[in-house]
Structures are given as structure tokens and as C-alpha cells.
Amino acid sequence: MIGLLRGETLRLATTRTYWMLAVGALALIAAGTSAAAATSFTPGTSPARATLAIAGLAQTVALLAGALSVTSEFRHKTITPAVLITPGRTPLLVARLITMAAAGLAFGLAATGMAAAITLPVLAARHIPAGISGTQAAAIIVGGGVATALAAALGVGAGAIIRNQVGAIVTVLALLYVAEPLLGFIPHAGPAVQRYGLGGLAAAATHTTGFPATAQLLGQGAAVLVLAAYTAGVLLAGAALLRHRDITT
Amino acid sequence: MTAITSTEGSGPVARTAGAASRRPTATAGPAIEVAGLRKKFGRVAAVGDVSFTVSYGRITGFLGPNGAGKTTTLRMILGLIRPDAGTAVIAGKPYAKLANPARTVGALLDAAAAHPGRSGRDHLRVLAAQAGIHGLRAGQLLERVGLADAARQRAGRYSLGMRQRLGLAGALLGDPEVLVLDEPGNGLDPQGIRWLRDLLRSLAAEGRAVLVSSHVLAEVAQTVDDVVVISRGQTITQAPLGELLAARPGSTLEDIYLELTGTTEGEPS
């Protein structure tokens, strides 16, 4: 397993795609939080929590990166040499899961920490109360790290299920940005989707505001647990499929 | 496992002389033994009934028309595709049961199997780390396959021939005693073909077993010791090349191959 983890770390470090995704996302989050903190103010909610929700982009990017880490192996056919070295296949997925989740944790902490470091001073300069305590700010940053780690792990599982790169990316984005927001408008069922959908869980896990901002979210701990349960389920399904499917590319 | 082909005891060949030095006594049986492999994809029978053996210290050419089931058979030997029936063992064990697969078997199945954004050197370093092999070997192998100058270049910029060389370096990473190579000569220039032939011969001379599929029969005739021909998913023949040629005086390997596979047109690809 140590060799596999070393290989995975090297793979991650030598693939420019992940670095470009991370740098691009951090730049977008910096620009978004700067603009929001400097101009907007959402009545009825904490301006800091609403602004820091922008750092949730880190989770979407981590989810995509996790999926890419598996689908690109099928796209570029490197799954064949990888599985030849690790015929059991499951240890390969476990090593990838650990590596991507660790990278997701670091990336999530950096993204949310940076967003807080921009938002709080800007709000203070505008004499707008942030509406969160120092402990709550810490909970938001730690929650951002944990949620992003889970998102990366979820992506790894999703990529193992949907091996086609375009298919995996389109499915993930459609679920996050089309299906969940639309289902949230269904009477009666809507609030449950807002609460237990990935968007609502990520918002609750990071202690920020969901979509819509009035959505009734779970507590931070409960949201992390539910998100972890989803992730475990998707990973187990992905591992079973990876073990049983023929590798023809 | 019982012997399943007619080549057992088919007589000594000069090139096996140096073979015993490398081959461990524990693996004194055939390097690869394939028995009754079958595989359907959906309703299409890719492999109907394939059986053959590959010996240590010899190069075995694996021949057949496009669509005959060569690649599917190689992937079943390597545990990548699950057969519907039949067995394939390497050094006496199914691939998945090998204690250290990368040090036992080296395979090149697709020259394009590298991330285009990663350098050839990094590609090998990732594989080496996964296999528990020291990263320095990546550099040595790049030199051995003639890619030292392009080691830091992104694999996406490699020509097909360069990617074949990178794939061969990957196959040799664990210093394996069995090599499985699918069309390794594709994209190589004449110098590359000569280099590949010499490489395969030196590997076999060291006692390793080499199973190599190819369409280039003139090249195969110059390289291999044994020939396995399959067509429409079935083994047609397995024999030492010398025996095949001796049985049909005046015929070339190409004549024999076309006669055996029953067509002078070839299968549509």
C-alpha cells in the first residue's frame, strides 16, 4: 500500500490538470468573495456565511477532480498498466481515495481559509457585522476542508462507476446544478432535496448558506455524516464494479 | 495441469541453451499455459476455444487475422478480462494469484497507454512506485529503449514508435521472466524493428519467455521460435517455426499462415 500511495502522490503531483483546476478555482473564489464582500449584503442572514458559501466551488472542483482521477485512466488507457501491477484492483482504488481525499482536505482548507481571510477584513472595513464568531469562522474553514475531502472521495467513486470521462463530468454537473435545484422546487419533496441533496449537505457541512438561502439545513456534524455515508455507498459500488468489469482499453 | 499442445518435447532448439541459467526451478513448467479459453462480449463470441503454451527461453509469435481474438486472449491471460470458460496460468498461477505480478510478467498491450500530459520519465516513475521498484530504474530503462533524450518530454508529444518504446520500458520495469507484447513493432521505423528484434532475442536468450502478437509475418519469421495461429477465436496450430517450414518445403510463413487461416483476403478489420 505504501508503494501505491507513493505512486498516487506522484501521479497527482505530475498531472498539470489538477494544478490548473486548483489554481483556477482559488482565483475564482478569491474574485467572487472579494466582489461579494465589497458590494453585497443579504438581509436576514449572516453576510459572512453567505459570502463564504462561494468557497463551496472548491467542493465542486474536488468532486470533478476525483472523478477525473479515475476516468482519465480509462481515457488514456493507463488503467491497464495500473491494474497489471495491482490485479486486486481494490487497493488501487483505496490508494487513490486516500490521496485524492488528502489533497481535497488541503485544497478545501486553503480555499475556505483564503475566502475567510478576504471576507472578514473587507466586511470589517465596511463596518458590516460579519454575524459569526471566531469559533464559527473556524468551523466554516474546517468544514470546508472536510466537505472538500469528502467531495473528492465521492468523485473517485463516481468515476469508478461512470468510466467515461465526459459522461462522468456531465452527470456530476447535471446533478449538482440542474437536478438538485429543480427538484428543490417540488412541493413537499423540495425541502428534503434542499436538505439532503449534495448542495444542501455541502452548505450545512461548511456551515454556510444553502440554495435557496432560506433552505432548512442539517447541523454541521449531521451533514458531514450523511455526506460521508453517501460517499461510502458510491465508493463501495464503484469498487465492486471496478473489480468485476472487464478492462478492455 | 496437463500438457495440451503438440509442441511438448518437440526437440531442442539451439537458442534454449542459455535459458536454464535464469529460469528458477520452481517455475520449470511452461511460462504460460492457456487451456480452452472462451469469451463472449454480449452475443459476439470473441474467443471460442484457445489453447497453447509458451516456453521459457523462447519467443512465441501469436498470429491471427484482425478480430481473431488475439488481444482478448492476451487480456484474459493477464487477468484484465474474465474468461467465460477455460484457464490461463503464468508460471503455474492465474495472474491474480501471482505474488508479485510486476516482477513476474511484463506486458505491453497498447502503445498509447500513457497520460499525454506526463513525461515519459514520470510515467515510468509512477508505475515503478506502484510496483515497489526503485525510481532510478525508470531512467535506466529509458536509456535501454532509446528514449533517454526524450525522458522529460510530455508523452503526448511522442511519436507512435516512441510510445511503443515507452510501453516496452514499462513492460521491462520489474525485470520480469515472462513478457506479453501486443503488436510491439507497430509504428517502429526499420532501425526500431531491428532494435526490437535484437531486444526480444536477448530477452529470450536470458531465459525469459516472450509472447508477441504481430501481423508483420516477414518480421515474425525472422524473430520467433514458436508459432501459435488463431482464427475466428480458435487455435489453428501451435508448432515450432522450424517444424512448420520443414513440413512445407518452399513455403514461406506467409503462405502457411494464409493457408491455415483459410483466406487470402484476410478478415475485415
Side-chain angles (χ1 to χ4, degrees), chain A residues 13 100 158 175 183:
Chain A
M100 295 306 286
L175 181 69
L183 291 172

Side-chain angles (χ1 to χ4, degrees), chain B residues 62 66 105 187:
Chain B
F62 190 37
N66 290 329
V105 188

Side-chain angles (χ1 to χ4, degrees), chain A residues 3 11 15 77 84 246-247, chain B residues 39 75 80 82 95 118:
Chain A
R11 176 202 308 280
T15 311
K77 308 181 177 192
L84 286 177
D246 289 333
I247 292 173
Chain B
K39 179 69 182 181
R75 283 183 175 269
L80 296 164
R82 198 182 294 260
Y95 191 90
R118 202 175 288 134

Side-chain angles (χ1 to χ4, degrees), chain A residues 3-4 6-8 10-11 14-16 76-78 80-85 87 89 92 243-244 246-249, chain B residues 39 41 75 78-82 95-96 101 107 109-110 112-116 118 122 125-127 129-131 154:
Chain A
L4 279 178
R6 278 187 47 232
E8 288 302 321
L10 196 57
R11 176 202 308 280
T14 57
T15 311
R16 299 189 309 173
H76 300 303
K77 308 181 177 192
T78 49
T80 290
V83 163
L84 286 177
I85 291 168
R89 303 188 190 180
L92 186 68
R243 217 169 35 244
H244 286 102
D246 289 333
I247 292 173
T248 53
T249 57
Chain B
K39 179 69 182 181
F41 291 114
R75 283 183 175 269
L78 296 166
L80 296 164
I81 291 179
R82 198 182 294 260
Y95 191 90
L109 291 178
D110 195 319
H115 191 291
R118 202 175 288 134
D122 285 338
R125 283 171 68 214
V126 169
L127 295 179
Q130 288 181 326
R154 295 165 59 197

Side-chain angles (χ1 to χ4, degrees), chain A residues 180 191-201 218 226 230:
Chain A
E180 279 193 11
V193 174
Q194 291 169 7
R195 181 184 275 225
Y196 294 104
L198 288 176
L201 286 173
L218 291 175
V226 174
Y230 286 4

